[in-house]
Structure formats: C-alpha cells, structure tokens
C-alpha cells in the first residue's frame, strides 16, 4: 500500500516532469503541502524551472532543479510523468539503490514504472486524482492545496473544455472552490496570461505555418527565436492548441528547437476522432489521444520531415470512412 509507504517515510522527494505544465506544478506543490502537513521533510524537484505564471502557488519558488546530493530519501513520488524518462535527471541522477518509487498519473500511455502505480486514464488531470488521494493520505485540504489542485485541473482541461472533463472533474473542482480557490483568478493567471516572449514565439510560428491534408504545423528554429530576442524556451502549448482549433484541421503540430540543447521539442494536438498519442509513442514520446508530445534529435528539418510523415500517415489511417 502506498499509504503505508508514505506513513513510514521521513524524507520524501517529489518529482514533476521536465518542461512542466500547470498540472505538473499544481500536483507537485499540492503533494508537497500535504506531505509537510503530515510532518514529512519534503524536497520538490523539476529539471526545468517553474514557469513564472505559476509562481503564485505555495511552494512554487521552493521547487529545486535537482535533489539534495547529501540526502537519503525514503520515497520518491512522481507526479504527471507518463514514463521514467519524464522525470529527467532528477531521478536518473539519484544514486543506486534508488528509493521506492510511487507513480501518480493520468496519461493513458503510462508505463507503470513505479513500485506503486496510481494511474487513472479517465481522470482529467493528475490534480483530479490527487483531490481524492491526498485525503486518503490523511491530509486536510487547505486553501493553498486547493489553489494548486485547481490550477492543475484548469490548465490540463483548458478551462473545463476537453473531452475528458466529467461530472467527477466538476465535483472535484467545486470542492476546491468551496475551500477558497479563486477559479477566475486561477484561469486568468495560469491559462490566459502569457509572457511577451510567448506571443513573439506565436508570431514566428504563425508566419511559418503550413497546411497539408488536415495537418497544420509549424517549425520554429532556435536562430529565429534568438533574432527576435526571445529569452528562454517559451511554451508552445498555446500555439499548438490554436493550430488544432483552425477549421478543417485534424492535427496541429509545433516543432521548436530548444535553446539549451540540440533537441527538438514537438507538441501535437488532435481533433476527435483523430489521435496523436500513437504518433507520439511511435516517436519515443507519450501523452493523450488529443494532446501528446515528444522530443527528437535535430536537425530541425529532419525532425520536421519525420513528424509530418508520421502525422499524415496517421490522419490517412484514422480518417472516418
Ligand atoms: Mn497532466
């Protein structure tokens, strides 16, 4: 039982996935608050920095980029990670033998890599799973935890409009609002406000978009970002959602070169009945039927050719007759 493992543990390491989104950070900080309430020593880690727009969440500015090297952790909890590699160096760099690993996630592609696996593919978000699980752990819901969990639900459901939003999702969200979470404020900060760099990235992406047989995609070179003075690696998730919303589109894709390594980040969205999860998995990534992603080796034009061929093939095969 995972509850027993948590009860027994003194030091707990909680890891959110690389390139974190609102569900990753919301879940990470909610588990952190709950564990602190239970008297545990907690370290929260994510390989990549917490995006500025989530800094209003409790513990968000305490999230580290790497575990403490001198600490002995009794338990590792991965949140919102579809497979082991999504935890990045935070887990890979832990010395052997590694601590017991618990895996809490809602991705249908989850590889069940933990000793404990709480995987609910029907849940809208990892945060939705945690609404129940944190109570089972013995934690009492606080305003801060409610803000974290509602941020996870609101962002992963794009404001309660994805196909996996159920009555259970809305009931869980209602409980969080009852506990004081401000849904309008969270929606504005976590979903709609975006940095200027992100708007610049959209500009570069929209300028380069191409349409073929129901696939609308764009590919953004590192050099273009640099010329435009864009700092860091702005999230492309808003742009890829926008592409998939265009009339007549079956799949939207954004490829972007990372600023700090040679990888090409690929975000994919599908419009029902199309499915991008299988394309992402085939390319070494993962995700959901309607939202998935992967990271490919460069150069950018080679990655683009691979992704475009895989998506066009999937669209042909999945097209309803
Ligand atoms: Mn998620």
């Amino acid at each position: 039982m995972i509850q027993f493992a948590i009860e027994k543990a003194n030091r707990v390491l909680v890891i959110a996935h690389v390139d974190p989104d609102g569900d990753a950070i919301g879940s990470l900080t909610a588990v952190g608050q709950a564990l602190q309430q239970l008297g545990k020593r907690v370290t929260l880690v994510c390989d990549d920095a917490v995006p500025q727009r989530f800094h209003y969440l409790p513990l968000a500015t305490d999230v580290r980029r790497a575990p403490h090297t001198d600490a002995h952790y009794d338990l590792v909890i991965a949140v919102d990670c579809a497979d082991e590699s999504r935890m990045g160096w935070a887990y890979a760099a832990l010395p052997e033998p590694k601590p017991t690993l618990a895996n809490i996630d809602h991705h249908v592609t989850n590889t069940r890599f933990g000793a404990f696996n709480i995987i609910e593919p029907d849940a809208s978000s990892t945060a939705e799973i945690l609404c129940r699980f944190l109570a089972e752990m013995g934690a009492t819901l606080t305003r801060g935890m409610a803000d974290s969990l509602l941020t996870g639900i609101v962002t992963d459901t794009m404001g309660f409009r994805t196909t996996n939003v159920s009555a259970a999702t809305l009931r869980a969200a209602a409980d969080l609002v009852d506990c004081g979470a401000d849904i309008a404020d969270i929606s504005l900060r976590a979903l709609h406000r975006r940095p200027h760099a992100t708007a610049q990235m959209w500009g570069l992406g929209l300028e380069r978009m191409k349409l073929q047989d129901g696939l609308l995609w764009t590919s953004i070179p590192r050099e273009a970002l640099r010329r435009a003075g864009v700092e860091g690696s702005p999230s492309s998730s808003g742009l890829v959602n926008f592409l998939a919303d265009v009339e007549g589109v079956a799949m939207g894709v954004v490829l972007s070169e990372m600023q700090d390594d040679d990888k090409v980040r690929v975000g994919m969205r599908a419009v029902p009945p199309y499915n991008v999860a299988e394309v992402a998995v085939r390319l070494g990534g993962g995700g959901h039927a309607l939202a998935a992603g992967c990271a490919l080796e460069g150069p950018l034009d080679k990655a683009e050719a691979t992704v475009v061929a895989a998506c066009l093939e999937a669209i042909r095969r999945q097209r309803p007759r």
Side-chain angles (χ1 to χ4, degrees):
M1 282 281 282
I2 181 175
Q3 278 86 355
F4 185 62
I6 291 172
E7 211 171 292
K8 238 179 29 181
N10 175 36
R11 282 199 87 146
V12 185
L13 175 65
V14 192
I15 304 178
H17 61 73
V18 298
D19 191 17
D21 57 17
D23 193 23
I25 299 302
S27 297
L28 180 70
T29 55
V31 172
Q33 293 168 74
L35 289 171
Q36 282 186 348
Q37 192 188 80
L38 297 172
K40 311 295 177 186
R41 293 180 69 187
V42 190
T43 306
L44 306 182
V45 171
C46 180
D47 267 18
D48 297 306
V50 174
Q52 190 76 36
R53 66 183 181 283
F54 303 128
H55 279 198
Y56 65 92
L57 291 177
L59 302 181
T61 50
D62 297 331
V63 175
R64 296 169 50 91
R65 302 288 287 271
H68 295 280
T69 46
D70 55 346
H72 169 81
Y73 296 104
D74 307 307
L75 178 68
V76 177
I77 302 178
V79 290
D80 205 40
C81 296
D83 61 61
E84 202 173 307
S85 74
R86 294 286 285 159
M87 293 185 286
W89 278 108
Y91 184 76
L94 284 178
E96 301 285 348
K98 295 196 196 290
T100 306
L101 178 60
N103 166 18
I104 307 178
D105 185 39
H106 69 122
H107 291 90
V108 69
T109 55
N110 191 289
T111 57
R112 308 188 70 87
F113 54 85
F116 301 101
N117 297 287
I118 299 176
I119 314 302
E120 298 182 14
D122 289 335
S124 68
S125 51
T126 299
E128 183 184 333
I129 301 172
L130 289 171
C131 287
R132 205 190 55 251
F133 180 74
L134 295 185
E136 286 171 10
M137 239 167 72
T140 308
L141 189 66
T142 61
R143 164 76 197 269
M145 283 157 65
D147 283 341
S148 289
L149 293 172
L150 193 58
T151 295
I153 296 176
V154 161
T155 52
D156 253 25
T157 61
M158 297 192 270
F160 301 100
R161 65 182 188 87
T162 53
T163 51
N164 56 9
V165 171
S166 65
T169 313
L170 298 173
R171 281 190 198 99
D175 288 343
L176 300 173
V177 171
D178 268 342
C179 199
D182 184 339
I183 195 164
D185 187 52
I186 286 173
S187 303
L188 179 66
R189 285 166 182 263
L191 211 53
H192 298 297
R193 285 272 178 196
R194 34 182 70 94
H196 185 237
T198 302
Q200 285 174 300
M201 186 192 201
W202 280 48
L204 297 169
L206 290 173
E207 198 174 81
R208 288 169 170 77
M209 71 180 175
K210 291 170 219 161
L211 175 66
Q212 185 185 336
D213 299 333
L215 177 67
L216 185 57
W217 80 96
T218 189
S219 148
I220 306 168
R222 186 184 297 115
E223 196 39 48
L225 287 169
R226 203 174 297 151
R227 261 201 316 274
V230 178
E231 305 254 338
S233 294
S235 167
S236 59
S237 63
L239 176 57
V240 71
N241 290 331
F242 179 82
L243 294 184
D245 283 342
V246 172
E247 270 180 18
V249 167
M251 292 181 186
V253 173
V254 174
L255 298 101
S256 56
E257 273 183 311
M258 302 295 283
Q259 300 277 51
D260 36 11
D261 62 31
D262 292 336
K263 287 273 161 79
V264 176
R265 185 168 64 179
V266 185
M268 299 183 238
R269 297 292 183 273
V271 179
Y274 295 93
N275 177 339
V276 281
E278 58 161 278
V279 182
V281 167
R282 188 147 30 105
L283 298 176
H288 312 281
L290 301 184
C294 62
L296 298 178
E297 296 297 332
L300 184 60
D301 50 356
K302 183 168 150 261
E304 179 176 342
T306 304
V307 171
V308 167
C311 288
L312 288 176
E313 188 276 323
I315 290 173
R316 269 195 300 277
R317 192 160 30 79
Q318 295 171 4
R319 184 172 290 143
R321 298 161 204 284

